[in-house]
Amino acid sequence: MRNMPTLRDLASTIRSKNAGVDHITFDLIFKERSNFERVRDSACSARSASPSSIASRANG
Amino acid sequence: MPEISILCPTGHLGFTPLEPASFRAGCALKPNFIIADSGSCDIGPYPLGADGQASPAAWQRHDLEIMLLEARRLGVPMIIGSASDTGTDRGVRQFADIVRDVAREHGLAPFRMATIFSELTREQVLGRMQAGTVVKGLDGRPDADAGLIGRTDRIVAVMGAEPIAAALRSGAEVVIAGRASDCALFAAPLLNAGMSPATAYYAGKLMKCASFCCEPFMGKESIFGRISEDDIRVTAMHPGQRCTPASLASHAMYERRDPFREYVASGHVDMTGVRYEQWDEKTARATGARFVASTQPMVKLEGAGKVGERRLAIVGIRDPYTIENIDKAMAWARARLAERFGAPEDAGWTVYYHAYGRDGVMGSLEPTPAMRPHELGIVVETVCQDAKRAEEICALAARNLFYARLAEVKGTAGAAALMSDEILVGKPGYEWTLNHVLPVRDASELFRTESTVVDGTSKKAA
């Protein structure tokens, strides 16, 4: 899948930041709805790599 | 209702120096207020716990001097919150001294300055707890008990807009506030102008980090906000930056576990229904925030307590076999430490091996499977109550990587390269003890305001 776009191609903002003293957030911001939906519905959202799974570990 | 304009030159006054060119461009538009926050919990618990500062005093003065001179030249109020990184009483006094010093140096005509103190003693918090108030833990932390307060060296309460708005109403032209919600600094004058808490706090949330809400990414550049009820327009002042719906929306979600809610003492901003649009080339407009008032004001408390003395050492590993077996090497080193100093949990010491090149940045959160890099840089960090013991433990924790006994090591001269065979003295280690909220009757009751006239001409004559 050499030509598959990366998050870097699709999202306008990719960042992590502490939220207060006990949490880390991961934010992906898209300028085009189609890119947002494509990422949301793609294999990237599989639990193994999803922001929520990382967040749950960060919070745990 | 009038439109209020606010100029914000920096998201953390003093942390690195603000950029004067875009600030002066903003001043040319004649803002009604100049506002900046100077504090953050991003800097970790050490400055609060030790009552120190994270920013060099020269940069704090640099920023305050530029802002104060322009504010007095324009004849508009200047509001600074979370003075000197932490907002402790020391920080408020330090910034007030800088203001007086700058006024004297430049012979500024008299102006009224309010200082708002937000530090609480342990006894004050314990007293309220003994009277039945529950100091409620945030983010899954347990509620505070006497033991937790006992482990806390310093406590600040985080003010909302109320004490700042009151200071402005009583004529303050400079406000130096202790720990404050960033957005409250901006909300205070907007509430005084008759705007809703929704507009006031939401405008503050959008503007509090200055150029971070614009694109491309730049820090320490000014932004200019024009605000009327349910109508917030933010303009980038740097020639190379724009404020766009994406950049403004992105910032509204910045550093929050819940991207749609911003909590302050009196309630929270609900950003579920907000809309962003491009207003002009460099300006984005935001509308549609709601405010949900809480039934009882809840003031956030931040507290930090000392854990121990810290020592550091830096060890490089280049031997491929040791790199492959680095976990075994660390385990061997740890076992020898426990033999000599006792089990860490019983004997009160902690050793961290930060393995840069593997997972030094993300630690156990690192999702990339371990590869075999050609070298590893290991920062050995030791925390222990006693400084001498911390030094000894750190030295052995580092040197034991050198002496690690691994089954198939071929070398006989040690398997680690010490960057320098010395133990570096770190600042003491602190932990966040309080990330809690304290219910109060009145959102202002924990804060003390003093008002003085600063006359930059009087001392000069003397």
Side-chain angles (χ1 to χ4, degrees):
Chain A
M1 298 281 273
R2 268 180 307 141
N3 295 323
M4 184 156 63
T6 64
L7 278 177
R8 201 174 162 73
D9 301 317
L10 300 173
S12 64
T13 297
I14 304 171
R15 71 178 173 215
S16 70
K17 172 74 175 76
N18 64 298
V21 302
D22 290 329
H23 292 275
I24 301 171
T25 59
F26 289 85
D27 297 331
L28 302 174
I29 316 263
F30 301 88
K31 289 194 175 180
E32 287 84 29
R33 173 168 285 274
S34 58
N35 285 345
F36 164 69
E37 288 171 350
R38 179 171 180 184
V39 172
R40 183 193 63 190
D41 299 338
S42 75
C44 288
S45 305
R47 186 171 165 71
S48 62
S50 75
S52 66
S53 74
I54 294 173
S56 67
R57 281 190 289 159
N59 299 344
Chain B
M1 190 177 291
E3 178 180 285
I4 300 285
S5 59
I6 298 175
L7 179 63
C8 176
T10 169
H12 184 164
L13 185 150
F15 195 65
T16 61
L18 68 81
E19 298 291 343
S22 64
F23 177 64
R24 298 227 160 83
C27 290
L29 299 175
K30 297 193 187 321
N32 300 126
F33 294 88
I34 295 174
I35 302 178
D37 157 66
S38 178
S40 177
C41 58
D42 298 358
I43 54 179
Y46 169 79
L48 175 61
D51 202 11
Q53 59 194 72
S55 303
W59 299 351
Q60 294 174 324
R61 188 194 156 94
H62 168 272
D63 285 8
L64 285 169
E65 181 171 20
I66 289 174
M67 292 175 67
L68 180 66
L69 292 181
E70 286 298 312
R72 296 322 307 140
R73 187 180 66 78
L74 292 165
V76 301
M78 173 177 96
I79 305 169
I80 306 295
S82 302
S84 198
D85 303 310
T86 57
T88 59
D89 290 359
R90 173 208 61 80
V92 173
R93 293 197 185 97
Q94 184 210 352
F95 273 22
D97 285 345
I98 294 175
V99 166
R100 276 187 282 268
D101 200 40
V102 170
R104 195 159 51 231
E105 190 180 312
H106 293 271
L108 296 182
F111 58 88
R112 185 162 288 280
M113 173 166 70
T115 44
I116 310 176
F117 296 91
S118 65
E119 202 172 316
L120 297 180
T121 63
R122 285 187 293 225
E123 291 68 32
Q124 279 176 285
V125 177
L126 281 172
R128 284 178 184 251
M129 286 163 58
Q130 281 153 10
T133 303
V134 175
V135 178
K136 195 172 172 305
L138 291 171
D139 298 325
R141 287 183 178 229
D143 297 342
D145 58 20
L148 185 72
I149 303 299
R151 285 197 282 123
T152 303
D153 288 311
R154 202 158 295 276
I155 305 166
V156 285
V158 183
M159 70 184 81
E162 297 83 1
I164 303 162
L168 292 170
R169 284 197 303 273
S170 64
E173 292 164 288
V174 169
V175 178
I176 303 294
R179 191 72 173 116
S181 291
D182 300 357
C183 62
L185 311 172
F186 299 80
L190 301 175
L191 291 168
N192 280 348
M195 291 179 210
S196 65
T199 298
Y201 283 110
Y202 182 40
K205 169 69 182 162
L206 294 176
M207 290 192 66
K208 70 191 182 74
C209 289
S211 50
F212 271 14
C213 72
C214 302
E215 60 183 68
F217 174 75
M218 291 183 192
K220 304 297 169 185
E221 300 291 353
S222 285
I223 60 167
F224 194 88
R226 294 176 179 87
I227 302 116
S228 53
E229 182 55 30
D230 198 26
D231 180 358
I232 301 160
R233 283 162 286 143
V234 180
T235 306
M237 283 294 110
H238 186 277
Q241 267 200 318
R242 301 172 67 216
C243 190
T244 69
S247 71
L248 203 55
S250 158
H251 194 71
M253 303 177 205
Y254 189 60
E255 62 184 0
R256 286 295 173 267
R257 186 180 173 195
D258 181 342
F260 298 116
R261 287 180 186 174
E262 175 73 7
Y263 285 89
V264 293
S266 56
H268 71 267
V269 181
D270 179 348
M271 295 182 274
T272 314
V274 295
R275 304 184 90 82
Y276 300 94
E277 60 195 291
Q278 196 72 47
W279 180 261
D280 63 27
E281 174 62 21
K282 294 174 76 70
T283 305
R285 178 178 187 245
T287 56
R290 292 173 54 243
F291 189 80
V292 181
S294 53
T295 48
Q296 180 175 23
M298 304 281 262
V299 175
K300 187 181 173 194
L301 302 184
E302 293 174 351
K306 188 172 171 182
V307 179
E309 299 294 330
R310 280 170 68 249
R311 293 295 183 273
L312 301 157
I314 301 173
V315 179
I317 310 273
R318 181 63 182 79
D319 169 45
Y321 179 78
T322 304
I323 288 173
E324 196 172 340
N325 292 283
I326 190 64
D327 284 318
K328 283 182 192 161
M330 291 189 218
W332 186 86
R334 283 186 187 283
R336 300 308 300 266
L337 288 169
E339 275 173 29
R340 183 164 192 84
F341 298 103
E345 57 278 16
D346 302 330
W349 57 271
T350 312
V351 166
Y352 302 94
Y353 288 116
H354 304 286
Y356 288 91
R358 188 182 68 169
D359 59 1
V361 176
M362 293 187 69
S364 62
L365 294 175
E366 177 56 60
T368 307
M371 290 177 288
R372 195 202 293 176
H374 74 281
E375 67 175 25
L376 278 177
I378 299 178
V379 175
V380 183
E381 180 183 20
T382 303
V383 183
C384 177
Q385 286 291 335
D386 180 72
K388 278 209 161 138
R389 200 148 175 265
E391 178 143 344
E392 196 186 331
I393 292 170
C394 190
L396 199 56
R399 289 179 189 168
N400 270 348
L401 293 179
F402 183 88
Y403 288 115
R405 295 178 191 177
L406 300 174
E408 288 178 39
V409 164
K410 304 280 185 188
T412 59
L418 307 179
M419 186 197 81
S420 165
D421 187 16
E422 63 186 319
I423 304 306
L424 308 173
V425 178
K427 289 174 178 169
Y430 281 78
E431 63 173 333
W432 291 112
T433 50
L434 286 175
N435 177 30
H436 288 66
V437 285
L438 174 68
V440 291
R441 279 191 306 279
D442 179 324
S444 294
E445 72 185 50
L446 300 175
F447 308 102
R448 295 154 281 135
T449 301
E450 293 173 7
S451 181
T452 54
V453 172
V454 179
D455 184 353
T457 58
S458 68
K459 286 263 170 89
K460 208 175 196 180

